[in-house]
Amino acid sequence: MLKTGLCIVLFALAAGCAPTQKPLTDYVNPLLGTATLWDSVDLGFKPTKRTWGAEVFPGSSLPNAMVQVSPVTKFHSGAGYQYEDSVIYGFTHTNKGHWNLCHVPLLPVTGTPAPGDYCSPYSHARESAAPGYYRVFLDRYGVDAELTSTLRCAFHKYTYPAGAQAALLADLQRSNEHVRAWDIRKEGDNVFAGWQQTGEKLYFYAVADRPVTGIEPVAEGDREIRIVRFGEGEGPVELQIGFSFVSEKNARENLEAEMLGKSFAAVRSEATAAWNDLLGRIRVEGGTEREKGLFYSSLYRSFLWPALRSDVNGEFTDTDGKVVNTGFRYYTGPSYWDDYRNKLVLLGLLAPDVAADVISSDTDRGEKRGGFMPTFFHGDHASVFVAGTYLRGIRGFDVRRAYDLVLRNATVQGPSRPWLDEYVARGYIPEMDVENPVTQTVCKAAVTKTLEYAYDDYAVALLADALGDGANRDMLMKRTSNYKNLFDPSTGLMRGRLDDGSWITPFDDQYPYYEYMYREANAWQQAFFAPHDTEGLIGLYPSREAFGAQLDKLFSIPWKGYEVDNLSGFIGQYCHGNQPDHGFPYLYYFIGRQERSQELLDYILDRFYGMGPEGLALSGMDDAGEMSSWYVFNAIGLYTYSPADPEYIVTVPLFDKAEVSLGDGSRWSIRREGTGRRITGITCGGNPVDGWFVTHDALGKGELVITTSEK
């Protein structure tokens, strides 16, 4: 017997058989980011309440899909799921990983639950998640619930206890948003349908594998709920649901096109294949299992938003509430204030068709919203996305129409650039004169806006140049140095000014604000934002050494223990748990101290991802994939230091090699030579790279080799 087994092994080796490669989806843990940090060492302060975590969801979705079917453990809390919670209220069907959506909550129950709290306790020991799949056991009802999905449909599979009466609670008065109205009704022997109206109206059409015997009202407090009852059948209850933001008819057509007639196993297999295809566009070699797990989990998390809103027939409901079909897939707007830094570049690299349609979608919205390109939350960073996408060679959208909108944003005061007239007239936005401001004081966030508008001007100027609009290019380029008007030489920081030009006093450089002078930051976390003009920024200091000394203070002055939502995970004053200073670790490159930058990057990659006792927390909010994309880029040795520019700053990769298959069919190869963290040489296609940046075009012409040493 031993000889036989040995012969089989030797034959396999002789035949050139290699061990089966682990599917990349096996590295992904959708629960990463769902845990909350409580340790003051991790947070940087002693928490008196639950802190904001990554705010992500663990349920099933396809890349940039319409449907995200996921458990809710607490409504109006982040993405609706917190790892430390002990009950599940239902499974909802839309999610951003933020404080909104969570449409159409459904919960499998047995019989007629007693009035009261219909949620069910659950245990992580009987919970599992994978890309395109989620499973949990609901202790109260004894139901084993499994979920999978397609782009526009959800598949629920419920195994009820033997002999139990199968039923489903539809709690349509709930979501993470204000519910204005709703409806649910029986449509056929085994069909129910309806809609839920929040800011958007979501229609659904559900087909069960057994009779729907009735839909009855039940009460829970002041809420009216419906209970859907199922007739007898063999095995688990299987429920296939199509969704649409256009009509119930389209929801049915989406279901028929994507899911109806398929088994649960087949739909799950298709979801797994879709994710393996996307994850396989970056294949890494070397590194630890933990690093690969964090890498592919981060890559997965980077492709859940923006979300699809058009149906299989191409129809969508536009911003005017009209049903239209314009020939492109309609998507939600990105989280521009966060994602422009890196995630939207990653989207363009691996899924350029999606990136182009996202721009087309926002162009459509902008033309119907007064001629301004939409923004998100703060800043005007659609300009960076449009410019960076076009300059990286991605087409498939009407760049002239998009340019007209971002140019209007930059030249006409409107919803995308508040206080633009002051910015243009003075070269900065003056802050309001407020006595004793506190973190929540609502003002202009004038310093942050001034710095961001200067960078957005640069992005629009790059696009103007590419499109031959020299006059506007020159006008905008003159404005790109406006950030300098808020530099205070006495502090070496960016500081607010009043209408009369005087500095705001008193001035506490370490106190964090939400909208007074700074947006979700203190002076240190905004001091160095000029990614388009770093040499100009350095020139504001007496010497390069003085600039370096100020940088050293950023990463060494201890955080004073302020407990502020959205700010956590500190290295000195640097905050990785929020986005404004995510480009600052690279600044040492510009003063001959690359190894210090790498020391910081290594610490961040190792320390601030996979945190907490379960290894399931991030240092702060993922913000629809920005923090995850930060990890992805740095792990392969590149970062989007100035995302409007078609180039990348080179870092030391975590992995020995990365093969990147771009969505346009081209390929990148990135290889690390040596095990040190100091870069001693960079070549691309065998040619030496001058400086620390490599262009987008160069990466497609030959292998990028990053040579390192210990000293």
Side-chain angles (χ1 to χ4, degrees):
M1 191 69 173
L2 179 61
K3 289 183 179 179
T4 303
L6 181 60
C7 288
I8 292 172
V9 171
L10 291 174
F11 177 79
L13 291 173
C17 294
T20 302
Q21 188 177 19
K22 183 177 179 179
L24 297 180
T25 47
D26 286 0
Y27 285 108
V28 176
N29 185 357
L31 289 163
L32 178 66
T34 62
T36 301
L37 292 174
W38 294 94
D39 190 331
S40 60
V41 176
D42 291 336
L43 291 167
F45 55 84
K46 185 176 181 179
T48 62
K49 58 181 180 178
R50 180 192 166 268
T51 60
W52 289 3
E55 312 306 328
V56 298
F57 64 92
S60 174
S61 177
L62 262 62
N64 300 108
M66 178 185 293
V67 167
Q68 302 84 31
V69 54
S70 190
V72 171
T73 63
K74 187 176 182 179
F75 282 97
H76 307 292
S77 175
Y81 180 96
Q82 309 296 341
Y83 191 80
E84 70 266 23
D85 291 340
S86 59
V87 298
I88 288 175
Y89 288 93
F91 303 112
T92 60
H93 296 84
T94 61
N95 212 303
K96 179 183 178 181
H98 221 272
W99 282 262
N100 49 11
L101 303 181
C102 291
H103 285 99
V104 188
L106 302 177
L107 180 71
V109 298
T110 53
T112 303
D117 197 358
Y118 292 132
C119 62
S120 172
Y122 77 106
S123 166
H124 294 304
R126 303 188 73 175
E127 176 187 40
S128 60
Y133 178 74
Y134 177 82
R135 182 175 190 174
V136 69
F137 187 81
L138 302 175
D139 294 337
R140 181 175 183 181
Y141 304 109
V143 176
D144 184 18
E146 296 179 81
L147 310 170
T148 189
S149 57
T150 62
L151 284 174
R152 302 171 180 88
C153 308
F155 201 140
H156 297 240
K157 181 179 178 181
Y158 302 140
T159 302
Y160 289 84
Q165 183 185 36
L168 184 71
L169 282 176
D171 194 355
L172 296 176
Q173 279 187 289
R174 270 187 168 176
S175 85
N176 261 13
E177 301 182 13
H178 173 67
V179 177
R180 302 175 185 177
W182 56 275
D183 179 56
I184 184 172
R185 65 196 180 281
K186 187 174 182 295
E187 276 294 300
D189 290 342
N190 62 333
V191 176
F192 63 90
W195 48 267
Q196 186 184 49
Q197 175 80 60
T198 59
E200 302 173 282
K201 190 172 186 179
L202 180 62
Y203 300 86
F204 60 90
Y205 186 89
V207 177
D209 68 340
R210 64 199 60 201
V212 173
T213 59
I215 299 178
E216 307 164 3
V218 294
E220 184 179 36
D222 59 354
R223 285 199 329 283
E224 184 179 324
I225 301 176
R226 294 290 185 266
I227 185 166
V228 180
R229 297 201 178 278
F230 299 109
E232 296 296 322
E234 294 295 325
V237 172
E238 294 190 345
L239 184 64
Q240 298 177 316
I241 313 175
F243 293 89
S244 169
F245 287 90
V246 172
S247 67
E248 186 179 304
K249 173 179 175 291
N250 280 17
R252 178 175 182 172
E253 290 179 1
N254 290 342
L255 180 64
E256 292 171 344
E258 294 183 359
M259 182 179 287
L260 204 60
K262 296 180 181 178
S263 69
F264 185 92
V267 174
R268 181 187 176 185
S269 178
E270 290 174 2
T272 301
W275 278 112
N276 272 319
D277 175 67
L278 177 62
L279 298 171
R281 295 175 196 179
I282 306 181
R283 293 191 175 271
V284 298
E285 299 175 11
T288 66
E289 288 298 290
R290 177 178 182 270
E291 288 167 344
K292 287 179 180 175
L294 291 174
F295 177 79
Y296 283 110
S297 295
S298 297
L299 183 56
Y300 161 81
R301 188 68 65 193
S302 300
F303 279 83
L304 295 172
W305 192 264
L308 185 65
R309 284 293 180 266
S310 54
D311 295 323
V312 291
N313 63 7
E315 292 181 345
F316 61 89
T317 301
D318 70 9
T319 192
D320 291 335
K322 297 178 180 178
V323 176
V324 297
N325 188 339
T326 56
F328 59 83
R329 293 165 300 178
Y330 195 66
Y331 287 90
T332 60
S335 293
Y336 278 124
W337 193 53
D338 315 304
D339 291 357
Y340 84 95
R341 307 170 199 273
N342 50 41
K343 202 283 281 290
L344 293 177
V345 178
L346 187 62
L347 177 69
L349 295 180
L350 303 189
D353 57 327
V354 176
D357 283 347
V358 170
I359 293 174
S360 295
S361 301
D362 264 353
T363 300
D364 184 83
R365 277 185 281 268
E367 291 175 340
K368 295 170 182 175
R369 289 181 180 176
F372 295 98
M373 182 68 86
T375 187
F376 172 79
F377 187 64
H378 196 267
D380 179 30
H381 304 313
S383 56
V384 183
F385 179 37
V386 175
T389 299
Y390 186 78
L391 294 174
R392 286 176 174 84
I394 298 170
R395 302 299 183 257
F397 65 97
D398 191 327
V399 68
R400 290 284 176 177
R401 289 169 58 200
Y403 173 63
D404 287 345
L405 293 177
V406 296
L407 179 62
R408 181 172 167 81
N409 283 11
T411 53
V412 179
Q413 183 166 297
S416 296
R417 288 211 199 185
W419 299 292
L420 177 66
D421 291 345
E422 296 178 5
Y423 168 81
V424 173
R426 290 179 172 87
Y428 68 93
I429 299 171
E431 187 52 276
M432 299 174 183
D433 192 0
V434 177
E435 187 176 356
N436 300 320
V438 295
T439 295
Q440 294 84 5
T441 296
V442 177
C443 289
K444 299 180 182 179
V447 175
T448 300
K449 278 189 173 66
T450 298
L451 272 56
E452 291 183 333
Y453 288 3
Y455 184 63
D456 295 331
D457 287 341
Y458 174 75
V460 181
L462 291 181
L463 190 56
D465 186 60
L467 297 177
D469 185 355
N472 280 311
R473 174 202 62 202
D474 294 343
M475 177 271 294
L476 290 163
M477 276 297 183
K478 290 177 182 177
R479 287 168 29 180
T480 61
S481 62
N482 280 349
Y483 73 93
K484 297 179 181 180
N485 296 326
L486 294 183
F487 180 75
D488 173 17
S490 70
T491 63
L493 300 170
M494 299 294 174
R495 182 174 176 179
R497 288 183 183 269
L498 297 174
D499 273 321
D500 62 6
S502 61
W503 297 114
I504 286 179
T505 55
F507 179 66
D508 185 343
D509 60 343
Q510 296 179 43
Y511 190 85
Y513 296 102
Y514 284 160
E515 291 186 73
Y516 180 68
M517 291 194 288
Y518 312 105
R519 179 77 237 193
E520 295 182 11
N522 66 15
W524 287 96
Q525 292 147 9
Q526 287 283 267
F528 307 101
F529 184 80
H532 59 297
D533 187 26
T534 304
E535 287 299 328
L537 174 69
I538 295 171
L540 296 174
Y541 293 81
S543 65
R544 302 183 89 79
E545 290 75 20
F547 179 77
Q550 190 78 332
L551 266 186
D552 291 340
K553 291 179 183 178
L554 166 68
F555 292 102
S556 62
I557 296 174
W559 181 253
K560 286 185 175 179
Y562 296 114
E563 183 180 15
V564 181
D565 288 338
N566 238 24
L567 274 72
S568 57
F570 299 94
I571 307 174
Q573 294 294 304
Y574 172 82
C575 176
H576 198 69
N578 205 25
Q579 283 67 32
D581 55 1
H582 273 190
F584 293 1
Y586 310 93
L587 289 167
Y588 284 103
Y589 275 76
F590 296 87
I591 54 172
R593 296 172 60 186
Q594 171 271 324
E595 61 274 18
R596 174 57 177 155
S597 284
Q598 195 60 52
E599 180 183 10
L600 293 166
L601 298 176
D602 288 345
Y603 182 84
I604 294 167
L605 288 164
D606 181 64
R607 177 76 175 87
F608 289 146
Y609 295 80
M611 302 176 72
E614 305 92 357
L616 292 177
L618 303 184
S619 60
M621 287 184 62
D622 191 45
D623 274 315
E626 189 279 345
M627 187 176 288
S628 293
S629 298
W630 192 99
Y631 190 100
V632 169
F633 273 116
N634 282 283
I636 64 172
L638 302 172
Y639 191 67
T640 51
Y641 180 77
S642 173
D645 285 295
E647 63 182 15
Y648 312 88
I649 196 167
V650 177
T651 68
V652 180
L654 286 180
F655 303 105
D656 298 334
K657 188 174 183 178
E659 294 281 354
V660 184
S661 300
L662 275 64
D664 63 4
S666 58
R667 300 177 67 86
W668 292 354
S669 178
I670 305 167
R671 181 165 54 86
R672 184 189 68 202
E673 285 190 351
T675 58
R677 309 310 288 171
R678 185 169 73 89
I679 298 175
T680 57
I682 305 171
T683 62
C684 193
N687 300 311
V689 173
D690 183 20
W692 301 110
F693 288 86
V694 61
T695 67
H696 181 84
D697 288 342
L699 283 166
K701 296 176 181 177
E703 185 174 52
L704 178 69
V705 179
I706 305 164
T707 304
T708 69
S709 71
E710 299 289 345
K711 296 181 180 180

